[in-house]
Amino acid sequence: MSILVTGGAGYIGSHAAKALAAAGFCPVVLDDLSRGHVDAVKWGPFVSADIGDSTLVRRIIEKYEINAVLHFAASAYVGESMSSPRTYFLNNVRNTLNFLEAVADSGVNQIVFSSTCATYGIPEALPVGEEHPQRPVSPYGESKLFVERVLHWYAQAYGLRWMILRYFNAAGADPEGEVGEQHDPETHLLPRAIQAALGRLPEIEIFGNDYDTPDGTTVRDYVHVSDLADAHVLALQHLQCGAPNCVLNLGTGRGHSVLEVIEAIEKLSGRKVPVRIRARREGDPPVLVARSSRAVELLDWSPRQSSLETIVRTALRWQESLMLSEAPSEVAESLMLSEAPSEVAGARTLTRGAATVAI
């Protein structure tokens, strides 16, 4: 069964593609590589194109006989969305609307949507449950909430069936080291702190150490990216069993402060993380922790790999592997794809393993 994975060359999408393949599905990755990486596509066909090209999306759905969609493709930096809201609404809203038009017209009626706790805004109560009011404080959160509302109305009008997964702080890397976090620029605490420990960054910034938390720094709910990937597969299977549309939070229900994360990195790496204390950022809540009991009950999902130690160990191994791959130029050159991309009918084709894609 072929599943279209938009943004499947990105961080969470690539881990989900691996989980899909392990569950017996064929992930067909659609990614424009604006933020993704071609070397993260390892488990099925790959098409490099824009999700907003509805004509091309229709051809992909027809060619690969797509049964369902996992939709990850989006711009996803909160800070960047504040300075460039136009980019976020064009990509996350307009392009998704074009994409959903093609999906609906093609008769595909199952979608798992990658949403975010940013739709909640500043929490009024903890832990944050799915019924919490949604009052985004960033264009990023607003754009995701808009798509959630679109899915609701598409279900009413077109019979689209969906699962919306609002996850908290994705972290860690594939335990087998095949994929990991490679954002450019990297804004997330955990990889930046590891990079600082390994000497790739001179320091990291801590935005505020005077919050009403045990050590004064913000507390977040970190969930391992492989656990998130497993949840997407379970959500897809839930839809395939005819279950009703549903919104689920994905987190651990446990919070870790910025200083706790840094301490864990220092302990497991044996190196110091240089830090600089800066002023608070506007809109940062002191504590953000999920209530994920609904996902546990409906999907029998469990964040098995989401201990802070496992998250840090897998992320540390991944960052070390990136350093090794970037070290000697002759080694890096030998790891490059031997096949060059070519232009075919508006989409690039790439050879990856045994999968050559032409649309």
Side-chain angles (χ1 to χ4, degrees), residues 102-185:
V103 169
D105 289 348
S106 300
V108 177
N109 73 337
Q110 296 178 3
I111 182 169
V112 180
F113 177 55
S114 168
S115 193
T116 170
C117 65
T119 64
Y120 294 121
I122 305 299
E124 296 178 358
L126 294 169
V128 178
E130 292 87 354
E131 72 286 348
H132 188 285
Q134 291 178 281
R135 302 189 185 101
V137 293
S138 69
Y140 168 59
E142 193 73 58
S143 68
K144 287 288 192 175
L145 178 56
F146 185 92
V147 175
E148 287 192 16
R149 289 170 172 162
V150 167
L151 293 177
H152 167 79
W153 293 112
Y154 273 44
Q156 298 286 324
Y158 311 120
L160 182 66
R161 301 179 57 247
W162 47 258
M163 295 285 287
I164 293 171
L165 305 184
R166 298 177 188 149
Y167 32 86
F168 283 59
N169 287 58
D174 172 38
E176 296 174 346
E178 295 188 276
V179 283
E181 194 164 9
Q182 298 185 72
H183 296 123
D184 184 19

Side-chain angles (χ1 to χ4, degrees), residues 5 8 10 21 30 41 43 54 82 94 104 127 141 180 189 216 328 337 356:
V5 184
L30 172 60
V41 183
W43 294 279
S54 56
M82 299 294 287
R94 183 196 64 182
L189 168 65
L337 290 174
T356 302

Side-chain angles (χ1 to χ4, degrees), residues 42-327:
K42 302 181 178 183
W43 294 279
F46 171 53
V47 182
S48 179
D50 191 333
I51 64 166
D53 186 342
S54 56
T55 300
L56 180 59
V57 171
R58 288 185 184 92
R59 294 212 304 269
I60 294 169
I61 291 172
E62 181 181 1
K63 177 181 176 66
Y64 291 101
E65 299 180 351
I66 298 298
N67 297 101
V69 174
L70 268 58
H71 183 35
F72 296 94
S75 300
Y77 294 124
V78 171
E80 181 184 63
S81 78
M82 299 294 287
S83 60
S84 185
R86 177 167 56 182
T87 299
Y88 276 67
F89 290 113
L90 287 174
N91 189 27
N92 296 2
V93 176
R94 183 196 64 182
N95 285 351
T96 293
L97 287 173
N98 289 346
F99 174 75
L100 290 175
E101 178 184 1
V103 169
D105 289 348
S106 300
V108 177
N109 73 337
Q110 296 178 3
I111 182 169
V112 180
F113 177 55
S114 168
S115 193
T116 170
C117 65
T119 64
Y120 294 121
I122 305 299
E124 296 178 358
L126 294 169
V128 178
E130 292 87 354
E131 72 286 348
H132 188 285
Q134 291 178 281
R135 302 189 185 101
V137 293
S138 69
Y140 168 59
E142 193 73 58
S143 68
K144 287 288 192 175
L145 178 56
F146 185 92
V147 175
E148 287 192 16
R149 289 170 172 162
V150 167
L151 293 177
H152 167 79
W153 293 112
Y154 273 44
Q156 298 286 324
Y158 311 120
L160 182 66
R161 301 179 57 247
W162 47 258
M163 295 285 287
I164 293 171
L165 305 184
R166 298 177 188 149
Y167 32 86
F168 283 59
N169 287 58
D174 172 38
E176 296 174 346
E178 295 188 276
V179 283
E181 194 164 9
Q182 298 185 72
H183 296 123
D184 184 19
E186 183 57 74
T187 62
H188 293 161
L189 168 65
L190 207 119
R192 285 184 61 82
I194 290 174
Q195 289 169 7
L198 297 178
R200 301 188 73 186
L201 290 177
E203 63 186 16
I204 65 161
E205 298 172 318
I206 296 177
F207 295 98
N209 64 347
D210 57 351
Y211 286 94
D212 185 17
T213 60
D215 61 24
T217 62
T218 56
V219 173
R220 295 292 181 265
D221 189 337
Y222 294 93
V223 56
H224 197 284
V225 63
S226 294
D227 286 332
L228 291 178
D230 290 342
H232 285 78
V233 175
L234 291 170
L236 174 62
Q237 293 169 333
H238 191 66
L239 283 177
Q240 291 176 331
C241 291
N245 302 341
C246 190
V247 177
L248 300 175
N249 282 346
L250 297 178
T252 67
R254 303 184 305 273
H256 297 284
S257 73
V258 172
L259 291 182
E260 282 183 287
V261 171
I262 290 173
E263 181 182 354
I265 291 170
E266 290 179 336
K267 178 181 177 180
L268 292 170
S269 69
R271 303 187 182 194
K272 190 72 176 172
V273 177
V275 302
R276 179 190 295 270
I277 305 297
R278 301 289 296 274
R280 294 185 184 188
R281 291 182 298 197
E282 185 178 356
D284 267 353
V287 181
L288 195 55
V289 176
R291 187 176 74 235
S292 302
S293 55
R294 185 183 294 177
V296 174
E297 293 167 6
L298 288 184
L299 304 182
D300 195 24
W301 174 74
S302 174
R304 297 176 295 105
Q305 302 182 81
S306 292
S307 70
L308 183 58
E309 180 177 348
T310 299
I311 286 173
V312 171
R313 281 191 188 279
T314 56
L316 180 60
R317 281 200 298 267
W318 174 253
Q319 291 294 331
E320 289 172 338
S321 73
L322 289 180
M323 288 185 68
L324 287 173
S325 68
E326 294 168 2

